[in-house]
């Protein structure tokens, strides 16, 4: 990690200098904070209620844009109500779960609103999952039904017999504008658009009975080990995001938020969209991010704000300069992962005034947002937290002579922990045992409890922080958290591989860490040219694209500690450097269908950013 410039440290004087611009946001922010902090677990709250409020505020204004489709707030509300009435008619009720596997398109948005209005928790399944992982993700949350887009049907068909869902509860959307043409459902699926058309468009009576404590989403996270975990995202938590991030963004009815982020993640589904709903603004979505189409779409939709993750920003900054780089009205953006080394360049090239970088996790109880618009920071946090000294080698907090943890000094790096209180609760995972592993007790005094974020951050002063790195058995690549255990299990399933150790390594000029697997082969086995292709085919079938190891290291044995833990630190230090490693090293180059050896030339090209991973 490079040294932090001293001018990144923030003082009260720096904050005072930014107050005049900040004051313009105060009335809207105060309004949002009232909604966020006056809620209780038993107060009516959440997405359904907030959306109906936006419908009243701006009934004929655009709520949603996608390709050539356009829906006003009234149109979208009518559609959601028909879906909600249908689900009520088949007995869906508050507390039930329905799994949703649809790519970014209007059918996904309408379904989410519909289920929110009746208090059903939507399991936002990652649309790139297949096989065992998809089976696990669906069965984990015990859904009463599943909604499948035609674009994801093949993956569901493959595992259908393994799902604990009644055969008459597989609901389907055609991959087309289903408000105009419902399509013909395949055998074994109920045509949801056709069914919903038979139901009324008036608001369902259940919306006001949905309370803060009720579940809104299950969002999947790799957590720290193993298969994906389902994190409960309550209506209360959504209302907190709506009242804070949503109102800080300060959008109005003339604004358009362009979001290409996957809506099964909280950054797109919660952060970007709640800002739109708070202002009665417009959400413009694209099915998947495209570098070449990004600014063209921004112009097409007349967007004034964009949602981002760090990887998206790097792709845009890497693209050749164009006449349309500034030919738009975007002045603000919201998201996370903007790297300090491109922060200033991005603002300058694309004419951005405000980067509302934020820090939050699907399961966590601590959040930061860059409300004062400083550079190179995840922002300010009003929630109770601490940054504690941490020993990376021992992978544990450092305790003082009194037995309690110690906070880092200003400018120091440590582990971020969020204090668990009634106002900043830890909602947790579906598995209580997993909850125990992320809660630390007696941190600063007997009886206190803190949520362990697993992230190293730097304290830069005035309750601001900088993100530094992710600890433990996950790493971040392509804007996604990758579980090393999950990848190890899939890689080890390949017939010739005995054991696999997976970890993240840094590639110069890229965001996050690329996956690398140190593998050992069965006695007498060698990897042939055919294996190098077959492995890629196998990994693609069983892993999301972002989780496929970019690098392989072929070892005779895997080094472990005395307690049989993998020596990952040494492997991470060696990385894919041919000057440090005598083992055979392989790489999956961009667009390649097979691994190839890392020669001196290939290594040099990687180091000089000749390949765009």
């Amino acid at each position: 990690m490079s040294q932090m410039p001293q001018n990144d440290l923030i003082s009260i004087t720096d904050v005072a200098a930014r107050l005049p611009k900040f004051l313009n946001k105060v009335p809207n922010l105060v309004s949002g904070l009232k909604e966020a902090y006056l809620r209780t677990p038993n107060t009516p709250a959440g997405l359904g209620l907030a959306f109906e409020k936006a419908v009243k505020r701006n009934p004929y204004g655009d709520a949603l844009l996608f390709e050539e489709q356009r829906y006003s707030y009234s149109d979208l509300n009518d559609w959601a109500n028909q879906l909600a009435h249908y689900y009520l008619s088949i007995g869906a009720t508050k507390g039930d779960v329905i799994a949703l596997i649809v790519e970014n398109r209007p059918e996904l948005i309408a379904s989410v609103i519909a289920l929110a209005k009746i208090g059903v928790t939507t399991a936002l399944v990652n649309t790139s999952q297949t096989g065992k992982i998809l089976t696990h993700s669906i069965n984990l949350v015990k859904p009463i039904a599943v909604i499948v887009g035609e674009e994801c049907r093949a993956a569901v068909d493959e595992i259908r017999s393994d799902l604990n869902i009644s055969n008459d509860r597989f609901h389907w959307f055609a991959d087309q504008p289903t408000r105009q043409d419902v399509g013909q459902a395949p055998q074994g699926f109920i045509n949801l658009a056709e069914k919903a058309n038979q139901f009324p468009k008036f608001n369902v009576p259940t919306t006001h009975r949905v309370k803060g404590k009720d579940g809104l989403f299950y969002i999947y996270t790799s957590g720290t080990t193993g298969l994906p975990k389902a994190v409960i995202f309550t209506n209360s938590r959504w209302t907190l995001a709506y009242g804070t991030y949503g109102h800080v963004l300060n959008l109005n009815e003339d604004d358009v938020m362009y979001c290409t982020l996957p809506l099964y993640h909280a950054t797109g589904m919660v952060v970007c969209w709640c800002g739109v709903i708070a202002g009665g603004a417009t959400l413009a979505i694209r099915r998947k991010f495209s570098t070449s189409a990004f600014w063209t779409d921004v112009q097409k939709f007349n967007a004034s704000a964009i949602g981002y993750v760090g990887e998206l920003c790097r792709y845009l900054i890497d693209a050749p300069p164009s006449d349309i780089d500034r030919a738009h009205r975007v002045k603000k953006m919201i998201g996370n992962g903007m790297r300090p080394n491109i922060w200033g360049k991005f603002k300058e090239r694309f004419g951005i005034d405000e980067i509302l970088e934020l820090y939050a996790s699907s399961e966590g109880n601590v959040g930061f947002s860059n409300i004062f618009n400083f550079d190179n920071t995840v922002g300010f946090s009003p929630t109770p937290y601490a940054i504690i000294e941490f020993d990376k080698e021992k992978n544990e907090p450092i305790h003082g002579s009194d037995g309690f943890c110690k906070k880092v000094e200003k400018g120091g790096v440590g582990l971020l922990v969020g204090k668990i209180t009634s106002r900043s609760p830890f909602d947790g995972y579906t598995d209580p045992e997993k909850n125990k592993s992320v809660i630390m007790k007696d941190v600063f005094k007997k009886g206190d409890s803190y949520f362990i974020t697993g992230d190293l951050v730097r304290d830069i002063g005035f309750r601001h922080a900088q993100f530094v790195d992710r600890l433990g058995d996950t790493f971040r690549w392509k804007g996604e958290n990758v579980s090393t255990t999950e990848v190890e299990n899939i890689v080890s399933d390949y017939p010739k591989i005995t054991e696999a150790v997976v970890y993240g390594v840094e590639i110069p000029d890229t965001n996050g860490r690329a996956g690398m697997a140190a593998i050992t082969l069965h006695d007498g086995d060698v990897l042939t040219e055919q294996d190098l292709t077959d492995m890629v085919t196998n990994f693609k079938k069983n892993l999301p694209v972002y989780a496929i190891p970019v690098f392989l290291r072929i070892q005779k044995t895997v080094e472990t500690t005395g307690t049989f833990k993998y020596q990952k630190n040494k492997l991470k230090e060696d990385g894919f450097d041919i000057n440090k490693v005598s083992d055979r090293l392989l790489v999956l180059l961009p667009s390649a269908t097979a691994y190839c050896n890392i020669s001196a030339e290939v290594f040099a090209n990687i180091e000089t950013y000749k390949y765009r991973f």
Side-chain angles (χ1 to χ4, degrees), residues 262-295:
L263 294 173
Y264 53 75
H265 270 340
T267 306
M269 177 58 78
V270 178
V271 174
C272 292
W273 192 23
C274 75
V276 170
I277 295 172
T282 307
L283 179 68
I285 58 174
R286 184 181 177 88
R287 195 176 291 242
K288 290 180 180 175
F289 168 74
S290 163
T291 303
S292 59
F294 191 88
W295 295 112

Side-chain angles (χ1 to χ4, degrees), residues 51 55 59 61-65 70-84 105-114 117 179 201 203 273 276-277 281 283:
F51 186 77
V55 174
D62 289 336
L64 181 63
L65 306 176
R70 182 180 295 264
Y71 301 89
S72 71
Y73 271 92
S74 286
D75 293 336
L76 191 53
N77 193 51
D78 289 349
W79 186 6
N81 285 334
Q82 288 184 301
L83 289 164
R105 56 190 182 101
E107 284 70 17
L108 178 142
I109 294 288
S111 298
V112 164
I113 299 168
K117 282 174 175 252
R179 291 301 270 174
K201 296 179 178 179
N203 284 338
W273 192 23
V276 170
I277 295 172
L283 179 68

Side-chain angles (χ1 to χ4, degrees), residues 308 333 338 343 347 352-357 370 373:
Y308 74 91
M333 51 196 289
M338 176 74 84
W343 192 300
K347 288 175 76 172
I352 307 297
D353 293 337
E354 184 177 0
I355 296 180
L356 191 62
E357 175 85 0
N370 193 21
N373 197 24

